[in-house]
């Protein structure tokens, strides 16, 4: 944890120095090298994501051994995930309308309004057709469904199934230990990414983008500090303990910009907060894939920002539609760097706003992605604490 924080601070300082002093022809290649050493980490984690999700969810499902209890966890989880995402979207509306980062720029759009993907497309994207689809990060949702059904099938085998349940649980432990090994590299990756971010995006923190980012960071952090404090407090945990444990995954998420890559660190934090494996083994892998408060807040803010840039007025009906679009958009967002901006195309399409907005937002995406990913993973853990309390589990101290 200390090394992660150290890597982060050092990366920012070194990046800032290089950004301020090196000539442009040196800055580019240096930034690329920093990024490459960060990418190694994310790639190693991405490799382990499908087996990690498979074993943790299947093992947790098989060990719960009671379909009703599992149903309860899933129902509570979805309820909390949806409520917190809607709250985040409302923050996004308040942020974009009060700070108004795009007002007065009067851009004009060249593209015709896009057609949004249909509800059927989105529904079926959760159920990929081939087994090989489960093995890529984009197929995580289908992998989750597969693992839950597999875990349930094991419990239906009764005593005979115990052997398989044990193998799944061993597999899950092996994956955790695999991840622990990779994690030794995390401080280096955090340093590399932080430096790259500063060199590449330091100068962009000016003008309308600065206003956007300032508002996004402010309200996203407000959501983190306020909403999650209340949630963990309701869950019987002192907020300070949550923030202490959450700092580690927060920094990993902030620099890797991937909820999937942060899953192991988030699990470690849940363990530290004393949450039972049975609960977080289900809620965190699913949360990493579907629960993205930071992304919803960002997509709402971005859509309003784009409307402001192009001088398009929005009515209360639009705001309602936007909250819904961001809920679907954030659920469908892949837990990888930039996933939220790719799905921003969907949100803009639903709203009938110019698709050029995606290109405009891409310019500052790594900066905007850092904070939204950090909050995405933090929300999963806050909800997990409350779910655990509702289900009658005691936090281990
Ligand atoms: N990078 C985010 C995540 O992994 C998704 C996004 O781009 O909003 O949680």
């Amino acid at each position: 944890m200390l090394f992660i924080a150290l890597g982060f601070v050092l990366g920012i300082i070194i990046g800032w120095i290089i950004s301020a002093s090196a000539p442009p022809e040196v800055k580019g290649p240096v930034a690329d090298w920093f990024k490459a050493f960060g990418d190694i980490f994310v790639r190693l984690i991405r490799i382990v994501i499908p087996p990690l999700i498979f074993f943790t969810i299947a093992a947790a499902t098989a060990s719960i051994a009671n379909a009703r209890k599992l149903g309860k966890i899933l129902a509570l989880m979805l309820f909390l995930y949806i409520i917190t995402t809607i709250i985040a979207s409302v923050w996004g509306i308040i942020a974009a309308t009060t700070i108004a980062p795009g007002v007065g720029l009067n851009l004009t759009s060249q593209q015709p309004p896009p057609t949004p993907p249909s509800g059927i497309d989105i529904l079926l994207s959760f159920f990929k057709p081939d087994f090989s689809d489960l093995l890529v990060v984009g197929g995580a949702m289908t992998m989750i469904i597969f693992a839950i059904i597999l875990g349930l099938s094991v419990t239906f085998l009764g005593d005979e199934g115990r052997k398989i349940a044990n193998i799944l649980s061993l597999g899950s432990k092996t994956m955790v230990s695999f991840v622990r090994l990779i994690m030794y590299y995390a401080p280096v990756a955090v340093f590399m990414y932080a430096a790259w971010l500063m060199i590449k995006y330091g100068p962009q923190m000016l003008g309308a983008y600065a206003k956007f980012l300032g508002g996004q960071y402010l309200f996203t952090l407000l959501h983190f500090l306020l909403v999650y404090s209340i949630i963990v407090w309701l869950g019987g945990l002192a907020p300070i303990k949550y923030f202490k444990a959450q700092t580690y995954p927060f920094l990993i998420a902030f620099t890797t910009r991937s909820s999937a890559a942060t899953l192991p660190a988030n699990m470690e934090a849940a363990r530290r907060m004393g949450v039972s494996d049975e609960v977080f083994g289900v809620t965190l892998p699913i949360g990493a894939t579907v629960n993205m408060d930071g992304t919803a807040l960002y997509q709402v803010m971005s859509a309003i920002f784009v409307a402001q840039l192009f001088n398009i007025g929005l009515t209360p009906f639009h705001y309602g539609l936007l909250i819904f679009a961001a809920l679907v958009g954030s659920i469908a967002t892949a837990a990888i760097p930039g996933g939220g901006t790719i799905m921003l195309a969907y949100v803009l399409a639903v709203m009938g706003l110019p698709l050029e907005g995606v290109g405009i937002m891409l310019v500052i995406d790594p900066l905007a992605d850092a904070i939204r990913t950090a909050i995405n993973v933090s929300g999963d853990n806050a909800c997990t604490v409350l779910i655990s309390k509702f289900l009658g589990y005691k936090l281990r101290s």
Side-chain angles (χ1 to χ4, degrees), residues 105-162:
L105 280 115
N106 297 320
L107 306 189
T108 45
S109 169
Q110 316 288 332
Q111 287 176 10
T115 36
S118 71
I120 294 178
D121 292 341
I122 291 185
L123 175 70
L124 287 184
S125 73
F126 295 156
F127 297 84
K128 304 266 193 228
D130 291 310
F131 189 76
S132 58
D133 295 328
L134 307 192
L135 303 180
V136 294
V137 172
M141 195 65 207
T142 318
M143 178 59 110
I144 287 170
I145 294 164
F146 175 78
I148 291 179
I149 299 176
L150 189 114
L152 277 177
S153 320
V154 170
T155 64
F156 287 139
L157 288 181
D159 266 355
E160 238 181 339
R162 290 301 342 141

Side-chain angles (χ1 to χ4, degrees), residues 274-324:
V275 179
S276 153
D277 302 30
E278 255 180 43
V279 178
F280 76 70
V282 175
T283 59
L284 292 183
I286 299 182
T289 322
V290 305
N291 182 41
M292 299 197 180
D293 295 359
T295 300
L297 193 154
Y298 158 84
Q299 287 172 340
V300 165
M301 251 195 104
S302 304
I304 300 175
F305 179 55
V306 171
Q308 289 168 349
L309 286 175
F310 291 95
N311 251 334
I312 300 168
L314 298 176
T315 62
F317 166 76
H318 282 116
Y319 290 125
L321 183 65
L322 186 52
I323 291 177
F324 176 75

Side-chain angles (χ1 to χ4, degrees), residues 81 266 283-284 287-288 291 375-385:
Y81 284 172
N266 227 16
T283 59
L284 292 183
N291 182 41
I375 270 45
N376 287 347
V377 300
S378 303
D380 302 340
N381 245 341
C383 292
T384 297
V385 170

